């Protein structure tokens, strides 16, 4: 791991720690909205090479994350469900209003971006708002970043079999090492949660959840790589030295977040 990558990680982790440990729902939701705006900007800048995305719809969707805590819990599911067709209606209205100067391809790229960035990040806020959310959120973070770290280490030293042309540097050995590393981290974390914080999480359940989330997170990494290959860029931006952009850093985390939320409801 290069010096820039290590330095960025050391500086960024305390910030993430402070947001999720100290911050209440309001602070977390606002922080996630800011992250979403940064990630959305990077996505729009990337796909603008092949389309003309409707940026204001994307950014307005990002800001909505900051107000999730205001919506009553019993109405939240309905609001989120209705927001999907509402955004689609607004985008098609743009095609009509501009007499097709904004094309179907433009709104398709926009809609994918909103879903990919905003809705996936929204599930991080949902996890944080769950009972024991401040404990559960770290399972998702460990599944994503633990996988990244161990996949990088194992792949660099033992990787011989290439996984996919979508991301040529990734290896089968690295992917397996990433899953194993993430699961080990989550099991250790479970021991701490059970013995120190009075939780009663099943180690077997956590191992299963860890494997699923790690694999989904790696698909998320490949998904981001496929977007970058489509528009012929290496990173979404140079916001974080050694890591690329915000979207490069959170691509696996946001992809696994909806699945993490669903699986955590079973704990």
């Amino acid at each position: 791991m290069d010096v820039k990558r290590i330095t960025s990680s050391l500086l960024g982790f305390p910030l993430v720690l402070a947001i999720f440990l100290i911050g209440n729902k309001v602070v977390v939701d606002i922080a996630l909205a800011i992250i979403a705006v940064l990630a959305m900007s990077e996505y729009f800048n990337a796909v603008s090479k092949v389309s003309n995305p409707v940026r204001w719809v994307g950014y307005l969707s990002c800001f909505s994350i900051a107000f999730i805590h205001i919506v009553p819990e019993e109405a939240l599911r309905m609001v989120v469900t209705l927001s999907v067709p509402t955004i689609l209606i607004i985008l098609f209205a743009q095609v009509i209003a501009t007499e097709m100067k904004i094309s179907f391809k433009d709104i398709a790229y926009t809609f994918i971006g909103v879903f990919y960035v905003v809705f996936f990040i929204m599930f991080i806020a949902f996890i944080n708002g769950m009972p024991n959310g401040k404990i559960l959120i770290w399972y998702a973070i460990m599944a994503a970043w633990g996988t990244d770290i161990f996949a990088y280490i194992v792949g660099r030293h033992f990787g011989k079999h290439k996984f996919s042309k979508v991301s040529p540097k990734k290896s089968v050995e690295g992917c397996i090492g990433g899953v194993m590393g993430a699961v080990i981290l989550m099991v250790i974390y479970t021991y701490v949660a059970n013995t120190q914080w009075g939780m009663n999480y099943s180690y077997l359940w956590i191992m299963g959840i860890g494997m699923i989330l790690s694999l989904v997170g790696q698909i998320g990494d490949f998904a981001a790589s496929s977007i970058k290959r489509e528009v012929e860029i290496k990173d979404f931006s140079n916001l974080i030295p050694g890591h690329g952009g915000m979207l490069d850093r959170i691509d696996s985390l946001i992809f696994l977040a909806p699945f993490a939320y669903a699986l955590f409801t079973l704990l």
Side-chain angles (χ1 to χ4, degrees), residues 54 56 89-103 107:
V54 187
W56 72 268
I89 288 170
I90 292 170
L91 289 173
F92 274 111
Q94 289 289 294
V95 176
I96 298 167
T98 61
E99 296 184 341
M100 294 191 70
K101 289 179 181 178
I102 293 175
S103 68
I107 67 170

Short mmCIF file of all heavy atoms in Angstrom, two decimals, residues 54 56 89-103 107:
data_model
loop_
_atom_site.label_atom_id
_atom_site.label_comp_id
_atom_site.label_asym_id
_atom_site.label_seq_id
_atom_site.Cartn_x
_atom_site.Cartn_y
_atom_site.Cartn_z
N VAL A 54 -29.37 14.98 -16.03
CA VAL A 54 -30.17 16.05 -15.43
C VAL A 54 -29.67 16.24 -14.00
O VAL A 54 -30.18 15.62 -13.06
CB VAL A 54 -31.67 15.69 -15.45
CG1 VAL A 54 -32.50 16.88 -14.98
CG2 VAL A 54 -32.11 15.25 -16.84
N TRP A 56 -29.74 18.61 -11.66
CA TRP A 56 -30.50 19.17 -10.54
C TRP A 56 -31.38 18.11 -9.87
O TRP A 56 -31.56 18.15 -8.64
CB TRP A 56 -31.34 20.37 -11.01
CG TRP A 56 -32.54 20.06 -11.86
CD1 TRP A 56 -32.58 20.01 -13.22
CD2 TRP A 56 -33.86 19.74 -11.41
NE1 TRP A 56 -33.84 19.68 -13.66
CE2 TRP A 56 -34.65 19.52 -12.57
CE3 TRP A 56 -34.46 19.62 -10.16
CZ2 TRP A 56 -36.00 19.19 -12.50
CZ3 TRP A 56 -35.81 19.29 -10.09
CH2 TRP A 56 -36.56 19.08 -11.24
N ILE A 89 -41.04 10.15 -13.21
CA ILE A 89 -42.01 11.05 -13.85
C ILE A 89 -41.37 12.41 -14.13
O ILE A 89 -41.52 12.99 -15.21
CB ILE A 89 -43.27 11.22 -12.96
CG1 ILE A 89 -44.11 9.95 -12.98
CG2 ILE A 89 -44.11 12.41 -13.42
CD1 ILE A 89 -45.22 9.94 -11.95
N ILE A 90 -40.63 12.93 -13.14
CA ILE A 90 -39.96 14.23 -13.31
C ILE A 90 -38.96 14.17 -14.46
O ILE A 90 -38.87 15.11 -15.27
CB ILE A 90 -39.25 14.64 -12.00
CG1 ILE A 90 -40.28 14.96 -10.91
CG2 ILE A 90 -38.34 15.84 -12.23
CD1 ILE A 90 -39.68 15.14 -9.54
N LEU A 91 -38.22 13.08 -14.56
CA LEU A 91 -37.22 12.95 -15.62
C LEU A 91 -37.88 12.88 -17.00
O LEU A 91 -37.43 13.53 -17.95
CB LEU A 91 -36.36 11.71 -15.37
CG LEU A 91 -35.37 11.82 -14.20
CD1 LEU A 91 -34.70 10.47 -13.93
CD2 LEU A 91 -34.32 12.89 -14.47
N PHE A 92 -38.95 12.11 -17.11
CA PHE A 92 -39.66 12.06 -18.40
C PHE A 92 -40.31 13.40 -18.74
O PHE A 92 -40.41 13.77 -19.92
CB PHE A 92 -40.69 10.94 -18.41
CG PHE A 92 -40.13 9.60 -18.81
CD1 PHE A 92 -40.02 8.58 -17.88
CD2 PHE A 92 -39.70 9.38 -20.10
CE1 PHE A 92 -39.49 7.35 -18.24
CE2 PHE A 92 -39.17 8.14 -20.48
CZ PHE A 92 -39.05 7.12 -19.55
N ALA A 93 -40.72 14.12 -17.70
CA ALA A 93 -41.28 15.46 -17.92
C ALA A 93 -40.21 16.39 -18.51
O ALA A 93 -40.52 17.29 -19.31
CB ALA A 93 -41.82 16.03 -16.61
N GLN A 94 -38.95 16.17 -18.13
CA GLN A 94 -37.85 16.96 -18.68
C GLN A 94 -37.69 16.69 -20.18
O GLN A 94 -37.42 17.61 -20.96
CB GLN A 94 -36.55 16.60 -17.96
CG GLN A 94 -36.46 17.09 -16.53
CD GLN A 94 -36.31 18.59 -16.47
OE1 GLN A 94 -35.30 19.15 -16.89
NE2 GLN A 94 -37.32 19.26 -15.95
N VAL A 95 -37.87 15.44 -20.56
CA VAL A 95 -37.79 15.10 -21.99
C VAL A 95 -38.88 15.83 -22.76
O VAL A 95 -38.64 16.41 -23.83
CB VAL A 95 -37.93 13.56 -22.19
CG1 VAL A 95 -37.95 13.23 -23.68
CG2 VAL A 95 -36.79 12.83 -21.49
N ILE A 96 -40.09 15.84 -22.20
CA ILE A 96 -41.23 16.50 -22.86
C ILE A 96 -41.03 18.02 -22.89
O ILE A 96 -41.21 18.66 -23.93
CB ILE A 96 -42.54 16.15 -22.12
CG1 ILE A 96 -42.81 14.65 -22.18
CG2 ILE A 96 -43.72 16.93 -22.72
CD1 ILE A 96 -43.90 14.18 -21.24
N ALA A 97 -40.64 18.60 -21.73
CA ALA A 97 -40.51 20.06 -21.62
C ALA A 97 -39.41 20.61 -22.52
O ALA A 97 -39.51 21.73 -23.02
CB ALA A 97 -40.24 20.44 -20.16
N THR A 98 -38.36 19.85 -22.72
CA THR A 98 -37.24 20.32 -23.56
C THR A 98 -37.37 19.87 -25.01
O THR A 98 -36.46 20.09 -25.82
CB THR A 98 -35.90 19.80 -23.01
OG1 THR A 98 -35.89 18.36 -23.03
CG2 THR A 98 -35.65 20.28 -21.59
N GLU A 99 -38.53 19.25 -25.33
CA GLU A 99 -38.77 18.74 -26.68
C GLU A 99 -37.62 17.85 -27.15
O GLU A 99 -37.10 17.99 -28.24
CB GLU A 99 -39.02 19.90 -27.66
CG GLU A 99 -40.29 20.68 -27.30
CD GLU A 99 -40.60 21.77 -28.33
OE1 GLU A 99 -39.68 22.15 -29.08
OE2 GLU A 99 -41.75 22.23 -28.34
N MET A 100 -37.24 16.97 -26.25
CA MET A 100 -36.25 15.92 -26.48
C MET A 100 -34.82 16.44 -26.65
O MET A 100 -33.93 15.73 -27.11
CB MET A 100 -36.63 15.06 -27.69
CG MET A 100 -37.90 14.25 -27.46
SD MET A 100 -38.20 12.99 -28.72
CE MET A 100 -36.89 11.82 -28.35
N LYS A 101 -34.57 17.70 -26.22
CA LYS A 101 -33.18 18.14 -26.13
C LYS A 101 -32.48 17.35 -25.03
O LYS A 101 -31.28 17.09 -25.09
CB LYS A 101 -33.12 19.64 -25.84
CG LYS A 101 -33.53 20.51 -27.02
CD LYS A 101 -33.47 21.97 -26.68
CE LYS A 101 -33.92 22.82 -27.87
NZ LYS A 101 -33.92 24.27 -27.54
N ILE A 102 -33.26 17.03 -23.99
CA ILE A 102 -32.82 16.03 -23.01
C ILE A 102 -33.42 14.71 -23.48
O ILE A 102 -34.64 14.59 -23.59
CB ILE A 102 -33.30 16.38 -21.59
CG1 ILE A 102 -32.60 17.64 -21.09
CG2 ILE A 102 -33.02 15.22 -20.63
CD1 ILE A 102 -33.08 18.13 -19.75
N SER A 103 -32.57 13.75 -23.77
CA SER A 103 -33.01 12.51 -24.39
C SER A 103 -33.28 11.41 -23.37
O SER A 103 -32.97 11.55 -22.18
CB SER A 103 -31.95 12.03 -25.38
OG SER A 103 -30.78 11.61 -24.67
N ILE A 107 -31.80 10.79 -19.38
CA ILE A 107 -32.55 10.53 -18.14
C ILE A 107 -32.26 9.12 -17.62
O ILE A 107 -32.35 8.87 -16.41
CB ILE A 107 -34.07 10.76 -18.30
CG1 ILE A 107 -34.70 9.74 -19.24
CG2 ILE A 107 -34.35 12.19 -18.76
CD1 ILE A 107 -36.23 9.78 -19.23
#
